Amino acid sequence: MPPGEPLDTLRNRLLTEIEVGGGVISFARFMERALYEPKLGYYESDHCRVGRRGDFYTSVSTGPLFGELLAQQFLDWITTRPNASQRPWIWLECGAHDARLAQDLLSALEAHPNRALAERVRYAILETSPERRAWQQSTLSHWQHRVDWLDAWPPDGVQGVILSNELLDAFPVHRIGWKAVARDWFEWGVTQRDGAFNWAVIPREQSKIAMCDWPIVPPELAAVLPDGFTTEIHPAATAWWRGAARSLREGWLMTTDYGLDRLDFFQPQRAAGTLRAYRDHRISDQLLADPGNQDLTAQVDFTATQAAGETEGLITVERTSQRRWLTGILERRVSLPDGVAWLAPDRVRQFQTLTHPDHLGRGFSVLVQRTPDLKNSQNNR
């Protein structure tokens, strides 16, 4: 322990867990605590992580346009349902962090000309962290009368929209490596040497990863995959999406995030995997450095995510780029009677940031799934 370091730090808690756990823990466990340890984890200790003065940008940090376009799309979806303006609807957000997206969505609802429909929408946030819930309640003090905070999925299910923005990439992932001679996987774990975190091999037979989660490598790929090739698997994110799909009684499940199809994880340029750390708008491959003070994130496995929803009976409406999806919504919004006046210069600038390949338009995807009862509705996209 460095001289003068407090006894109860996240670093010391992790070192203790490694010692108690026999000298090694999974990277998924390390990532979980580094991001979500109460009071000490990256997402638990400071709500000012996003934007110019934070560590990275998101679609929400560009301004309110992202939320305005999402609100337009959600209302377009709801209007396809019978007696839409006489029925209650829920927009349930997961991974709301400091509730800036919720603020933008609620502001858009408040300004929407179809008051009868907009007033039928109630907002909900699924949040188990007391720290983040306090941030959200502060941000949404103006809308406390129409926002509910939930600890778990509603027992009666959701009629409306379940949404998340850049949530799936922050679920803990397992880091795995390839043994070319054995043509099999092993798990990368985390150990410590002289108080510093280091990588350690966990043989597959000692790993706690479920058999169904290990990637199946086609013979033609196994023959050329280099020894030590490293990638990630995402059982926590997939399980979460499956739970969301089960909770959707009627409506749509959507997410925006950066991710890949499963086979794209095995491209030569990704031989070290897609995990990276963010701090002060800089990307780092020092994943074990300074836990709790840098973001850890990995590309979403959209193949597994989409399959999880379909396994639960949902129908995939769209899997496309954020650029294409937002462009379609904007075109419909501008076609409304007030569209020209609405598209002010500040909204144009925000839209360019959201969609341009040199900004947030590169790599971000949208996945939308719906319940089967919507199959006869029009304009589900």
Side-chain angles (χ1 to χ4, degrees), residues 16-269:
T16 299
E17 182 169 351
I18 289 171
E19 182 180 355
V20 172
V24 64
I25 59 174
S26 70
F27 176 76
R29 178 59 175 166
F30 179 92
M31 182 175 176
E32 177 184 12
R33 297 195 70 174
L35 296 182
Y36 301 108
E37 184 79 0
K39 302 291 186 179
L40 299 174
Y42 180 81
Y43 287 121
E44 294 283 337
S45 58
D46 186 355
H47 72 283
C48 299
R49 299 292 193 182
V50 180
R52 182 175 299 176
R53 290 179 293 178
D55 292 324
F56 52 87
Y57 291 102
T58 69
S59 297
V60 179
S61 60
T62 65
L65 179 65
F66 183 71
E68 291 172 344
L69 292 177
L70 261 60
Q72 182 67 51
Q73 178 62 84
F74 297 166
L75 289 170
D76 286 348
W77 282 339
I78 290 173
T79 57
T80 66
R81 304 306 293 144
N83 303 314
S85 59
Q86 282 80 50
R87 301 169 62 191
W89 300 97
I90 295 176
W91 292 359
L92 173 57
E93 184 182 0
C94 307
H97 193 58
D98 61 359
R100 290 171 66 185
L101 177 57
Q103 183 180 49
D104 295 339
L105 284 162
L106 286 162
S107 295
L109 266 178
E110 200 170 67
H112 199 271
N114 188 340
R115 301 308 308 148
L117 180 61
E119 289 173 1
R120 300 301 295 172
V121 175
R122 189 159 185 85
Y123 208 89
I125 295 176
L126 179 58
E127 182 58 77
T128 59
S129 163
E131 198 75 24
R132 292 196 298 273
R133 184 177 289 200
W135 302 340
Q136 294 158 10
Q137 290 173 338
S138 176
T139 301
L140 301 179
S141 59
H142 176 72
W143 292 279
Q144 290 277 1
H145 63 287
R146 66 181 308 177
V147 181
D148 298 311
W149 274 267
L150 309 176
D151 295 311
W153 296 112
D156 296 331
V158 174
Q159 178 180 280
V161 181
I162 299 176
L163 64 139
S164 67
N165 176 55
E166 294 190 53
L167 169 66
L168 298 182
D169 67 89
F171 275 95
V173 298
H174 291 268
R175 199 170 192 231
I176 60 174
W178 179 251
K179 295 184 292 186
V181 174
R183 294 195 177 185
D184 202 1
W185 295 104
F186 63 87
E187 182 176 8
W188 282 112
V190 180
T191 188
Q192 69 90 18
R193 297 187 188 93
D194 300 323
F197 298 111
N198 289 273
W199 296 105
V201 170
I202 304 176
R204 179 164 176 167
E205 60 270 18
Q206 297 177 21
S207 172
K208 296 180 181 179
I209 301 173
M211 291 296 295
C212 61
D213 290 320
W214 290 97
I216 298 174
V217 181
E220 60 274 16
L221 179 59
V224 298
L225 203 61
D227 190 60
F229 187 97
T230 298
T231 190
E232 305 89 28
I233 53 178
H234 310 72
T238 304
W240 182 88
W241 191 265
R242 189 176 294 115
R246 290 172 183 164
S247 298
L248 190 62
R249 189 174 82 245
E250 176 190 351
W252 298 261
L253 171 61
M254 66 82 59
T255 191
T256 55
D257 220 318
Y258 46 86
L260 304 166
D261 288 318
R262 177 166 292 166
L263 288 180
D264 289 333
F265 283 90
F266 298 100
Q267 295 295 324
Q269 68 269 27

Side-chain angles (χ1 to χ4, degrees), residues 80-81 250-252 370-378 380:
T80 66
R81 304 306 293 144
E250 176 190 351
W252 298 261
R370 59 172 171 81
T371 49
D373 59 288
L374 308 183
K375 63 185 177 181
N376 295 322
S377 297
Q378 300 300 313
N380 277 323

